[in-house]
Amino acid sequence: MTPLAALPTSLKANPRLDHWLSIHADGSVSVRSGKVDLGQGISTALAQIVADGLGVKLACIRMVPASTAYSPNEGVTSGSLSVQDSGSALRHVCAVARNIYQAAAARRLGIEEREVGNLVLRDGYFVCTVSQRQSSYAELADDVLLAVDATSLPEMAFVFPSSGQLPQVGVSVLRADIAAKVRGGPSFVHDLRLPGMLFGRMVHPPSQFALFLAVDGAGVAAVKAMPGVVAVVQDGNFLGVIASGEYQAVQACAKLAKACRWQETAALPDVDQLGAFLRAAPLETTLVGERDAPAAPAGTPVAPSQSPDAPDHQALGAGLRSTAATYSRPFLAHASIGPACAVARFDAVVQVAPISQPAQSSHLQIWSHTQGIYNLRADLALLLNLPVGSITVQHVEGAGCYGHNGADDVAADAALLARAVPGQAVQVVWSREDELSVVPFGPAMAIDLQATLGSDGEIVKWRHEVWSNGHGLRPGRGQMPVLAAANQISQPFARQVSVNAPLSAGGGAERNAVPLYDFAQWQAISHRLLTMPVRSSALRSLGAHGNVFAAESFVDEIAHAQAADPLAYRLRQLRDPRARAVLEAVSESAGWQAWRDAKLAGARAESEAGPEGHEGDEGDGMGLAVTRYKNMGAYCAVVARVDASRELRVTDLWIAVDVGRVINPDGVRNQIEGGAIQTVSWVLKEAVRFDDTRITSTTWDTYPILKFSEVPRVMVQIINRPDQKSVGAGEATHGPVAAAIANALFDATGLRVRDMPFTPVRLQQAALAA
């Protein structure tokens, strides 16, 4: 029998084959994954894996939207793990299913067991190469065939087809969801319309710690008297309205908000002194990892640095010298173009598509763009004091997702409102202000780096310290709900503080704090805040964005300080062949050497001709960076070109990426381009702003994002490695793109900016300080 340890993680947790796959008499195949499509195109990639695994046409595959009613529980769709985890599980499931159906075809055709090898699979047909007789999946379709547990099968059942039998994997396929969206068809949860559906809007507290004092009675009466208003719902600090029309709900909500009085607390830190706040807060300090230092396992509590801003003052040997620098990023918002939305219905007869028979019982049904249908269900059960089995969460796409956004919170809002109108569905859409203030933010980070250099200028010792809130506060992982409404209802749950995932799972704040380079000695330390005045959780790439920005900026600084080529300097200390490969590939495609030669020639000409004799491209610069996401995922190297002659503008990004075995090149390119463009926006523009009481960056004017006119050209080179496991692409770019921009800015202007975002004000400050 197959040992449990031999199965992919998701298949271990969900070993029944028929939980993943159904083969129908019309030749179609229904595929149920626990991972959800957030716009990353995972449904298309998984369909390719299944089509190849079964040996059928891609058109036969039907990806079923995830639901707690029938989908395997694969946790949360995050960390660029969907192809890696769900894809691996489905590959194994398909291998077994193909073998089971091959055996069934042999029985149907009267072929003896020893001659089963004469059956070949061609587009869903099992064809006997001797008699040319054939059978098919459609002809043999029987749910009983897949009603088996993977652990009950012999290991030989997991036999994968050779690469020559995989015509779909590695081929660019257009995403299945794009056509309807381009044509303007209903695609998102915002488009969902159910019979008799009502519309809700929320009056959220003006700040996280605000206490509801009172609502004017006459004001409430006036709201209730408004046309179309069905109910005003209050439960402690939780306030909302329900109306028969969407615009009527918006109007009623605005009127109700004006009738409310709140008491606010000045509890937020100085937004312009976040580094000092992060270091002064109560901390939990742990050792992330080390080499050639006193033995201690990763995760061991350690004492904070005595002086985190100072270099390492340990005695240095002859010819050694020490250098240090500090970097930071602010709190970042998800800033989705479409605000969070959900639909909820209580005590209704629930039709659970695509199951043909509806559940005939009292039930809470949620339609949500959550990243974790089972996790959300668990928190809703705690919040509402309901049995978990009485809640169904159905995934419907939302308008973009970059981590722990407001999808779960708005689902809780919809459920609490729907409780007031049993039997009727209620849709809740957050306002733009809600979207930019209520959601958890990506945590601010401060990173201190110290390096000891040998007499040859190489790095012999490295120390990486990061201060940050935890990067995870997702639902379904604790004994208390972490949904925003959980702190607002009349019997509130205690506020929780965000945590970091174990490093074995990729980590949180410490993600990519372990160096990629082969330094003789290194140490990485994480300081997690034990207080959380600004609600924070997972944002795309978690700590990798800040840590890689810092590390790759620092390596660049050290290289320039020694007049070394930043590319050559990195390669000298980098042994990983796949990391070297992406770095060499991107430098070649960007023309790095020619750029360096031209820069050096220009510098020589300027030196010879004097200050008035040089007519080079003032303010034009190139920078590069490299990383391996989570130290175990995709390799990514970036060259950025900037124009800083008038204002800082990223004009070009060259990116080389290695995600192992490529399933859909077009999908990988989409993810790399999207992540890169988002990072440009983070680096140049984005920062959550607040006063001592509340979030103030609640509009596009106060929280600006990159405009279409500011999007750089992005050139992506994919290095396919069919012999390696597939890993995700969605979060690989955020760290190296940030560092490459910083390094290009230095190349263009000589300014080393270590704090994001690189706004005009910050650049002016850097110029004055230079």
Side-chain angles (χ1 to χ4, degrees):
M1 297 300 101
T2 304
L4 194 64
L7 298 176
T9 302
S10 288
L11 192 54
K12 287 180 192 176
N14 308 276
R16 278 277 298 234
L17 302 185
D18 55 357
H19 287 179
W20 297 87
L21 214 61
S22 296
I23 297 175
H24 308 295
D26 63 356
S28 65
V29 180
S30 294
V31 182
R32 291 172 290 278
S33 166
K35 299 295 185 180
V36 300
D37 204 317
L38 307 166
Q40 81 279 40
I42 189 60
S43 294
T44 303
L46 294 180
Q48 288 178 263
I49 290 171
V50 172
D52 275 342
L54 293 178
V56 300
K57 288 183 169 64
L58 187 60
C60 296
I61 307 302
R62 302 286 182 268
M63 298 301 299
V64 180
S67 171
T68 56
Y70 47 74
S71 298
N73 185 352
E74 292 194 84
V76 177
T77 305
S78 62
S80 295
L81 292 173
S82 295
V83 167
Q84 183 174 320
D85 289 353
S86 198
S88 177
L90 283 167
R91 185 167 181 254
H92 278 70
V93 168
C94 290
V96 177
R98 188 185 64 252
N99 291 333
I100 288 173
Y101 270 83
Q102 184 182 44
R107 291 192 296 270
R108 174 67 62 89
L109 299 175
I111 297 174
E112 295 185 17
E113 184 176 349
R114 67 176 182 275
E115 297 175 336
V116 168
N118 293 329
L119 282 177
V120 296
L121 186 55
R122 298 172 184 164
D123 289 338
Y125 286 85
F126 295 93
V127 182
C128 179
T129 57
V130 177
S131 66
Q132 299 305 309
R133 294 177 64 203
Q134 64 182 29
S135 186
S136 66
Y137 284 115
E139 184 181 38
L140 299 164
D142 185 346
D143 291 342
V144 175
L145 288 174
L146 298 183
V148 294
D149 193 305
T151 58
S152 69
L153 300 167
E155 288 194 65
M156 62 179 294
F158 297 96
V159 178
F160 303 112
S162 66
S163 58
Q165 296 173 276
L166 301 175
Q168 301 288 354
V169 166
V171 177
S172 288
V173 174
L174 292 178
R175 274 174 37 184
D177 60 314
I178 293 297
K181 290 170 179 157
V182 170
R183 296 187 184 112
S187 300
F188 304 111
V189 65
H190 307 70
D191 303 322
L192 187 62
R193 293 293 181 269
L194 300 175
M197 190 170 81
L198 301 174
F199 299 86
R201 285 297 186 276
M202 300 306 305
V203 180
H204 285 119
S207 55
Q208 182 179 191
F209 301 104
L211 176 65
F212 178 73
L213 296 178
V215 60
D216 178 67
V220 172
V223 171
K224 290 180 176 179
M226 293 176 69
V229 171
V230 174
V232 173
V233 179
Q234 181 189 354
D235 184 355
N237 281 12
F238 181 88
L239 290 166
V241 297
I242 304 172
S244 57
E246 188 169 11
Y247 183 58
Q248 293 163 323
V250 171
Q251 288 181 307
C253 184
K255 194 176 188 69
L256 180 61
K258 292 179 180 178
C260 295
R261 290 190 297 111
W262 303 84
Q263 178 182 312
E264 295 188 74
T265 302
L268 302 187
D270 186 340
V271 73
D272 295 314
Q273 300 294 328
L274 288 178
F277 158 69
L278 294 173
R279 289 182 172 88
L283 296 168
E284 173 189 75
T285 299
T286 56
L287 176 69
V288 179
E290 62 184 352
R291 174 185 291 169
D292 281 353
T300 302
V302 298
S305 299
Q306 294 298 315
S307 179
D309 298 317
D312 186 351
H313 289 298
Q314 293 180 1
L316 299 177
L320 299 181
R321 62 190 188 279
S322 183
T323 183
T326 294
Y327 304 84
S328 75
R329 81 163 198 181
F331 289 98
L332 293 170
H334 297 266
S336 297
I337 298 296
C341 175
V343 177
R345 184 172 60 200
F346 252 109
D347 295 324
V349 174
V350 180
Q351 175 72 46
V352 185
I355 305 299
S356 58
Q357 296 299 318
Q360 302 291 331
S361 63
S362 177
H363 209 81
L364 167 62
Q365 175 85 4
I366 298 286
W367 291 263
S368 169
H369 55 112
T370 177
Q371 286 179 275
I373 53 175
Y374 285 95
N375 291 52
L376 173 58
R377 183 178 71 163
D379 260 30
L380 287 174
L382 292 171
L383 176 70
L384 300 166
N385 193 26
L386 292 173
V388 169
S390 70
I391 303 172
T392 297
V393 179
Q394 174 80 45
H395 183 265
V396 186
E397 278 193 274
C401 182
Y402 315 112
H404 181 188
N405 62 6
D408 300 302
D409 293 326
V410 75
D413 288 348
L416 287 166
L417 291 185
R419 189 169 56 176
V421 285
Q424 291 183 275
V426 178
Q427 184 195 68
V428 176
V429 181
W430 277 5
S431 68
R432 173 56 50 197
E433 290 74 15
D434 292 337
E435 185 66 28
L436 289 173
S437 62
V438 179
V439 299
F441 298 119
M445 299 175 67
I447 302 108
D448 284 352
L449 296 178
Q450 301 171 13
T452 301
L453 311 181
S455 57
D456 58 357
E458 306 297 280
I459 298 170
V460 297
K461 187 175 182 181
W462 178 274
R463 181 179 173 92
H464 187 127
E465 288 191 86
V466 55
W467 284 260
S468 177
N469 275 113
H471 286 240
L473 194 63
R474 290 186 183 276
R477 294 178 175 174
Q479 299 301 312
M480 284 189 282
V482 297
L483 304 163
N487 313 134
Q488 299 166 5
I489 56 178
S490 56
Q491 296 183 349
F493 291 86
R495 284 187 174 85
Q496 304 299 298
V497 176
S498 55
V499 298
N500 290 313
L503 193 62
S504 59
E510 71 275 36
R511 183 168 292 183
N512 280 102
V514 172
L516 178 65
Y517 299 95
D518 296 283
F519 302 141
Q521 292 183 299
W522 60 264
Q523 187 178 63
I525 294 172
S526 174
H527 307 281
R528 181 178 71 91
L529 272 68
L530 299 178
T531 184
M532 196 173 68
V534 178
R535 188 176 181 226
S536 57
S537 187
L539 179 65
R540 200 173 184 183
S541 83
L542 280 66
H545 172 239
N547 287 321
V548 176
F549 159 69
E552 283 297 287
S553 294
F554 194 41
V555 169
D556 210 72
E557 291 191 45
I558 295 170
H560 278 288
Q562 299 165 92
D565 178 350
L567 171 63
Y569 189 79
R570 285 172 167 82
L571 289 173
R572 285 202 300 270
Q573 300 177 89
L574 189 58
R575 294 177 189 168
D576 188 323
R578 293 171 70 181
R580 292 176 64 91
V582 291
L583 199 49
E584 290 166 341
V586 78
S587 61
E588 182 177 352
S589 62
W592 176 265
Q593 193 57 54
W595 177 267
R596 289 285 299 171
D597 291 344
K599 275 278 183 178
L600 292 173
R604 283 195 297 269
E606 183 175 10
S607 177
E608 293 169 0
E612 297 180 358
H614 178 55
E615 296 181 359
D617 294 328
E618 191 71 27
D620 207 5
M622 265 191 178
L624 57 76
V626 64
T627 194
R628 185 182 189 187
Y629 182 54
K630 294 194 288 190
N631 292 93
M632 57 185 176
Y635 292 85
C636 183
V638 178
V639 171
R641 184 171 181 175
V642 304
D643 176 4
S645 55
R646 294 186 179 179
E647 60 180 2
L648 179 58
R649 181 184 177 91
V650 180
T651 61
D652 300 272
L653 292 172
W654 292 268
I655 303 172
V657 64
D658 171 357
V659 295
R661 183 188 190 195
V662 177
I663 305 300
N664 184 349
D666 184 62
V668 172
R669 189 169 288 107
N670 291 165
Q671 284 292 282
I672 293 298
E673 289 174 350
I677 292 167
Q678 181 178 47
T679 308
V680 174
S681 185
W682 285 359
V683 174
L684 300 189
K685 293 176 176 284
E686 296 187 39
V688 174
R689 301 289 298 178
F690 42 84
D691 56 26
D692 61 359
T693 302
R694 63 172 69 175
I695 306 299
T696 57
S697 51
T698 59
T699 67
W700 292 128
D701 290 330
T702 52
Y703 192 90
I705 61 174
L706 202 69
K707 300 175 183 176
F708 282 108
S709 60
E710 297 169 318
V711 172
R713 292 181 291 270
V714 182
M715 286 68 72
V716 179
Q717 182 178 355
I718 302 171
I719 300 175
N720 188 15
R721 297 192 182 274
D723 59 326
Q724 300 291 329
K725 70 177 183 180
S726 301
V727 295
E731 299 174 306
T733 58
H734 292 72
V737 167
I741 294 170
N743 297 335
L745 174 63
F746 177 81
D747 185 51
T749 65
L751 298 178
R752 181 61 69 177
V753 183
R754 301 188 181 102
D755 304 298
M756 294 184 280
F758 300 169
T759 59
V761 171
R762 185 154 281 157
L763 295 182
Q764 289 171 4
Q765 292 171 342
L768 291 172

mmCIF file of all heavy atoms in Angstrom, residues 312-333:
data_model
loop_
_atom_site.group_PDB
_atom_site.id
_atom_site.type_symbol
_atom_site.label_atom_id
_atom_site.label_comp_id
_atom_site.label_asym_id
_atom_site.label_seq_id
_atom_site.Cartn_x
_atom_site.Cartn_y
_atom_site.Cartn_z
ATOM 1 N N ASP A 312 28.316 45.868 13.845
ATOM 2 C CA ASP A 312 28.817 44.855 14.756
ATOM 3 C C ASP A 312 30.199 45.275 15.237
ATOM 4 O O ASP A 312 31.127 45.426 14.449
ATOM 5 C CB ASP A 312 28.894 43.525 13.993
ATOM 6 C CG ASP A 312 29.278 42.367 14.885
ATOM 7 O OD1 ASP A 312 29.645 42.632 16.043
ATOM 8 O OD2 ASP A 312 29.211 41.226 14.408
ATOM 9 N N HIS A 313 30.344 45.472 16.550
ATOM 10 C CA HIS A 313 31.602 45.980 17.091
ATOM 11 C C HIS A 313 32.472 44.873 17.684
ATOM 12 O O HIS A 313 33.369 45.148 18.468
ATOM 13 C CB HIS A 313 31.323 47.040 18.161
ATOM 14 C CG HIS A 313 30.801 48.313 17.577
ATOM 15 N ND1 HIS A 313 31.517 49.081 16.700
ATOM 16 C CD2 HIS A 313 29.606 48.929 17.730
ATOM 17 C CE1 HIS A 313 30.804 50.143 16.347
ATOM 18 N NE2 HIS A 313 29.636 50.066 16.951
ATOM 19 N N GLN A 314 32.202 43.632 17.288
ATOM 20 C CA GLN A 314 33.085 42.574 17.735
ATOM 21 C C GLN A 314 34.477 42.815 17.149
ATOM 22 O O GLN A 314 34.631 43.414 16.086
ATOM 23 C CB GLN A 314 32.558 41.215 17.278
ATOM 24 C CG GLN A 314 31.255 40.830 17.966
ATOM 25 C CD GLN A 314 30.758 39.477 17.493
ATOM 26 O OE1 GLN A 314 31.406 38.846 16.674
ATOM 27 N NE2 GLN A 314 29.632 39.052 18.035
ATOM 28 N N ALA A 315 35.462 42.314 17.833
ATOM 29 C CA ALA A 315 36.832 42.518 17.366
ATOM 30 C C ALA A 315 36.997 41.921 15.978
ATOM 31 O O ALA A 315 36.596 40.790 15.717
ATOM 32 C CB ALA A 315 37.800 41.864 18.343
ATOM 33 N N LEU A 316 37.553 42.711 15.047
ATOM 34 C CA LEU A 316 37.768 42.273 13.685
ATOM 35 C C LEU A 316 39.230 41.914 13.490
ATOM 36 O O LEU A 316 40.122 42.566 14.023
ATOM 37 C CB LEU A 316 37.373 43.376 12.698
ATOM 38 C CG LEU A 316 35.903 43.818 12.755
ATOM 39 C CD1 LEU A 316 35.680 44.953 11.778
ATOM 40 C CD2 LEU A 316 34.965 42.671 12.468
ATOM 41 N N GLY A 317 39.457 40.872 12.709
ATOM 42 C CA GLY A 317 40.827 40.473 12.426
ATOM 43 C C GLY A 317 41.486 41.433 11.457
ATOM 44 O O GLY A 317 40.875 42.363 10.923
ATOM 45 N N ALA A 318 42.734 41.192 11.197
ATOM 46 C CA ALA A 318 43.502 42.054 10.289
ATOM 47 C C ALA A 318 42.876 42.042 8.905
ATOM 48 O O ALA A 318 42.524 40.998 8.365
ATOM 49 C CB ALA A 318 44.945 41.555 10.220
ATOM 50 N N GLY A 319 42.714 43.229 8.347
ATOM 51 C CA GLY A 319 42.172 43.361 6.998
ATOM 52 C C GLY A 319 40.666 43.308 6.918
ATOM 53 O O GLY A 319 40.103 43.475 5.830
ATOM 54 N N LEU A 320 39.971 43.068 8.023
ATOM 55 C CA LEU A 320 38.511 43.008 8.020
ATOM 56 C C LEU A 320 37.924 44.379 8.349
ATOM 57 O O LEU A 320 38.502 45.138 9.115
ATOM 58 C CB LEU A 320 38.009 41.980 9.034
ATOM 59 C CG LEU A 320 38.444 40.533 8.830
ATOM 60 C CD1 LEU A 320 37.831 39.662 9.915
ATOM 61 C CD2 LEU A 320 38.043 40.022 7.447
ATOM 62 N N ARG A 321 36.786 44.667 7.773
ATOM 63 C CA ARG A 321 36.087 45.917 8.096
ATOM 64 C C ARG A 321 34.587 45.651 8.090
ATOM 65 O O ARG A 321 34.099 44.750 7.427
ATOM 66 C CB ARG A 321 36.457 47.033 7.122
ATOM 67 C CG ARG A 321 36.092 46.776 5.689
ATOM 68 C CD ARG A 321 36.727 47.855 4.795
ATOM 69 N NE ARG A 321 36.282 47.782 3.411
ATOM 70 C CZ ARG A 321 36.781 46.947 2.522
ATOM 71 N NH1 ARG A 321 37.738 46.097 2.846
ATOM 72 N NH2 ARG A 321 36.338 46.942 1.271
ATOM 73 N N SER A 322 33.856 46.466 8.839
ATOM 74 C CA SER A 322 32.432 46.250 9.037
ATOM 75 C C SER A 322 31.632 47.408 8.460
ATOM 76 O O SER A 322 32.075 48.554 8.459
ATOM 77 C CB SER A 322 32.129 46.105 10.533
ATOM 78 O OG SER A 322 30.773 45.837 10.745
ATOM 79 N N THR A 323 30.460 47.103 7.948
ATOM 80 C CA THR A 323 29.568 48.132 7.414
ATOM 81 C C THR A 323 28.132 47.770 7.775
ATOM 82 O O THR A 323 27.830 46.603 8.043
ATOM 83 C CB THR A 323 29.726 48.269 5.887
ATOM 84 O OG1 THR A 323 28.903 49.333 5.415
ATOM 85 C CG2 THR A 323 29.325 46.976 5.172
ATOM 86 N N ALA A 324 27.256 48.758 7.804
ATOM 87 C CA ALA A 324 25.870 48.519 8.213
ATOM 88 C C ALA A 324 24.947 49.513 7.531
ATOM 89 O O ALA A 324 25.364 50.591 7.094
ATOM 90 C CB ALA A 324 25.729 48.634 9.728
ATOM 91 N N ALA A 325 23.675 49.138 7.424
ATOM 92 C CA ALA A 325 22.665 50.039 6.849
ATOM 93 C C ALA A 325 21.287 49.598 7.337
ATOM 94 O O ALA A 325 21.084 48.441 7.725
ATOM 95 C CB ALA A 325 22.720 50.022 5.331
ATOM 96 N N THR A 326 20.346 50.530 7.315
ATOM 97 C CA THR A 326 18.978 50.286 7.756
ATOM 98 C C THR A 326 18.003 50.620 6.633
ATOM 99 O O THR A 326 18.161 51.629 5.949
ATOM 100 C CB THR A 326 18.650 51.139 8.995
ATOM 101 O OG1 THR A 326 19.463 50.699 10.080
ATOM 102 C CG2 THR A 326 17.198 51.009 9.399
ATOM 103 N N TYR A 327 16.991 49.775 6.458
ATOM 104 C CA TYR A 327 16.000 49.935 5.387
ATOM 105 C C TYR A 327 14.598 49.811 5.982
ATOM 106 O O TYR A 327 14.428 49.269 7.084
ATOM 107 C CB TYR A 327 16.197 48.853 4.314
ATOM 108 C CG TYR A 327 17.593 48.832 3.735
ATOM 109 C CD1 TYR A 327 18.618 48.150 4.391
ATOM 110 C CD2 TYR A 327 17.894 49.492 2.552
ATOM 111 C CE1 TYR A 327 19.907 48.133 3.879
ATOM 112 C CE2 TYR A 327 19.178 49.477 2.026
ATOM 113 C CZ TYR A 327 20.179 48.798 2.698
ATOM 114 O OH TYR A 327 21.446 48.789 2.192
ATOM 115 N N SER A 328 13.605 50.277 5.246
ATOM 116 C CA SER A 328 12.240 50.174 5.774
ATOM 117 C C SER A 328 11.210 50.196 4.664
ATOM 118 O O SER A 328 11.490 50.615 3.536
ATOM 119 C CB SER A 328 11.951 51.327 6.743
ATOM 120 O OG SER A 328 11.747 52.540 6.041
ATOM 121 N N ARG A 329 10.036 49.729 5.019
ATOM 122 C CA ARG A 329 8.853 49.911 4.180
ATOM 123 C C ARG A 329 7.710 50.316 5.092
ATOM 124 O O ARG A 329 7.689 49.961 6.285
ATOM 125 C CB ARG A 329 8.512 48.664 3.385
ATOM 126 C CG ARG A 329 7.750 47.612 4.175
ATOM 127 C CD ARG A 329 7.086 46.594 3.263
ATOM 128 N NE ARG A 329 6.043 45.853 3.963
ATOM 129 C CZ ARG A 329 5.313 44.898 3.413
ATOM 130 N NH1 ARG A 329 5.517 44.548 2.166
ATOM 131 N NH2 ARG A 329 4.367 44.283 4.096
ATOM 132 N N PRO A 330 6.699 51.019 4.576
ATOM 133 C CA PRO A 330 5.556 51.438 5.403
ATOM 134 C C PRO A 330 4.486 50.358 5.435
ATOM 135 O O PRO A 330 4.632 49.290 4.836
ATOM 136 C CB PRO A 330 5.058 52.674 4.644
ATOM 137 C CG PRO A 330 5.314 52.310 3.203
ATOM 138 C CD PRO A 330 6.610 51.535 3.203
ATOM 139 N N PHE A 331 3.392 50.634 6.149
ATOM 140 C CA PHE A 331 2.210 49.802 6.005
ATOM 141 C C PHE A 331 1.682 49.972 4.579
ATOM 142 O O PHE A 331 1.686 51.083 4.029
ATOM 143 C CB PHE A 331 1.131 50.221 7.005
ATOM 144 C CG PHE A 331 1.444 49.871 8.434
ATOM 145 C CD1 PHE A 331 1.993 50.822 9.293
ATOM 146 C CD2 PHE A 331 1.184 48.597 8.926
ATOM 147 C CE1 PHE A 331 2.296 50.505 10.612
ATOM 148 C CE2 PHE A 331 1.476 48.279 10.250
ATOM 149 C CZ PHE A 331 2.036 49.229 11.088
ATOM 150 N N LEU A 332 1.226 48.870 3.991
ATOM 151 C CA LEU A 332 0.721 48.892 2.619
ATOM 152 C C LEU A 332 -0.705 48.351 2.579
ATOM 153 O O LEU A 332 -1.041 47.403 3.291
ATOM 154 C CB LEU A 332 1.608 48.047 1.702
ATOM 155 C CG LEU A 332 3.029 48.561 1.456
ATOM 156 C CD1 LEU A 332 3.856 47.506 0.738
ATOM 157 C CD2 LEU A 332 2.994 49.859 0.645
ATOM 158 N N ALA A 333 -1.523 48.950 1.736
ATOM 159 C CA ALA A 333 -2.906 48.499 1.564
ATOM 160 C C ALA A 333 -3.014 47.567 0.367
ATOM 161 O O ALA A 333 -2.181 47.597 -0.540
ATOM 162 C CB ALA A 333 -3.829 49.702 1.372
#
